[in-house]
Amino acid sequence: SQQGEEDPQALSIQEGENATMNCSYKTSINNLQWYRQNPGRGLVHLILIRSNEREKHSGRLRVTLDTSKKSSSLLITASRAADTASYFCAPLEAAGNKLTFGGGTRVLVKP
Amino acid sequence: DTGVSQNPRHKITKRGQNVTFRCDPISEHNRLYWYRQTLGQGPEFLTYFQNEAQLEKSRLLSDRFSAERPKGSFSTLEIQRTEQGDSAMYLCASSSSGRGAFTDTQYFGPGTRLTVL
């Protein structure tokens, strides 16, 4: 079963706007990783946030983690057309080493 | 380039044939993972190695699938007697264990797209 579940499934915004997507998971985790994927391509690692961290930034990306609610969010600020992609959250279970992905959020940034 | 590489990038085969994919991880990474991704879905875990030891296998990995990492470096994934349902993108990832800011970060290769006719 897939543990990371993203919401919304799809998001359409204008260039320059912010995009926010959420992730929920079910079990205890060591960390949670966010990835971007363009159609037909591999996954590009964006950010890893550990279970003892609450917020992390990388360029225009901001990730939060709330372990009490078992949820995370990814914010992309000042979006660009090149940000058009699918975004996946992937919790790393505390009991193992595998990532469990949801179906992703498909983001369309219109120029 | 020191990223994860996978070969071939595309494979078209007829049902019933055997196929083998190769993954070369980032050189200092001791962990290697295989995932499978179908269209419109997120990747699903198949199996994981630490050095040469295969430590976990998913129930998705039927007895037609076998993975090896003989010297703890590159890995191969073989599918015997392929079926049309095996058509997917097969992704390999690697990571390092231990200490450091990038520990546990899984870096993915470009994938091998398998089409079974």
Side-chain angles (χ1 to χ4, degrees), chain A residues 51-69:
Chain A
S51 58
N52 61 352
E53 297 175 314
R54 291 298 166 257
E55 189 170 311
K56 209 161 182 181
H57 297 254
S58 176
R60 294 183 296 111
L61 306 180
R62 173 178 160 249
V63 166
T64 64
L65 179 65
D66 186 336
T67 53
S68 66
K69 295 181 180 178

Side-chain angles (χ1 to χ4, degrees), chain A residues 5-78:
Chain A
E5 292 292 340
E6 296 87 350
D7 174 64
Q9 291 186 339
L11 185 58
S12 180
I13 56 174
Q14 293 293 137
E15 206 165 26
E17 293 181 341
N18 295 344
T20 300
M21 57 211 86
N22 302 298
C23 169
S24 60
Y25 58 91
K26 295 172 185 166
T27 64
S28 296
I29 61 171
N30 279 329
N31 63 63
L32 187 144
Q33 304 184 36
W34 283 91
Y35 291 86
R36 184 186 73 228
Q37 186 178 39
N38 290 96
R41 309 295 293 270
L43 284 89
V44 174
H45 188 268
L46 297 177
I47 287 185
L48 179 153
I49 186 164
R50 300 194 185 277
S51 58
N52 61 352
E53 297 175 314
R54 291 298 166 257
E55 189 170 311
K56 209 161 182 181
H57 297 254
S58 176
R60 294 183 296 111
L61 306 180
R62 173 178 160 249
V63 166
T64 64
L65 179 65
D66 186 336
T67 53
S68 66
K69 295 181 180 178
K70 293 187 168 56
S71 66
S72 175
S73 69
L74 171 66
L75 168 67
I76 306 172
T77 60

Side-chain angles (χ1 to χ4, degrees), chain B:
Chain B
D1 183 76
T2 57
V4 178
S5 61
Q6 293 187 245
N7 287 289
R9 295 290 305 277
H10 303 273
K11 179 71 177 177
I12 299 173
T13 191
K14 293 182 179 178
R15 189 177 53 188
Q17 298 294 305
N18 299 342
V19 295
T20 299
F21 311 140
R22 175 175 170 131
C23 170
D24 287 88
I26 294 171
S27 58
E28 62 268 26
H29 285 181
N30 59 340
R31 291 178 174 166
L32 186 147
Y33 311 79
W34 286 98
Y35 293 82
R36 181 173 68 186
Q37 185 178 27
T38 53
L39 201 62
Q41 302 296 316
E44 294 176 296
F45 170 81
L46 292 179
T47 190
Y48 143 66
F49 292 84
Q50 178 150 317
N51 301 313
E52 65 275 10
Q54 189 173 17
L55 296 187
E56 189 172 351
K57 293 196 297 185
S58 164
R59 286 173 294 175
L60 293 174
L61 214 65
S62 76
D63 56 6
R64 296 186 298 106
F65 288 69
S66 62
E68 295 183 340
R69 194 182 184 199
K71 297 183 180 178
S73 57
F74 72 92
S75 174
T76 58
L77 177 68
E78 181 183 17
I79 309 174
Q80 296 182 327
R81 306 181 303 280
T82 52
E83 302 172 356
Q84 287 183 326
D86 297 333
S87 294
M89 176 81 89
Y90 289 84
L91 295 163
C92 175
S94 70
S95 71
S96 65
S97 60
R99 298 179 184 276
F102 297 102
T103 297
D104 293 335
T105 298
Q106 293 192 20
Y107 296 94
F108 282 77
T112 294
R113 180 167 296 284
L114 173 66
T115 302
V116 181
L117 301 176

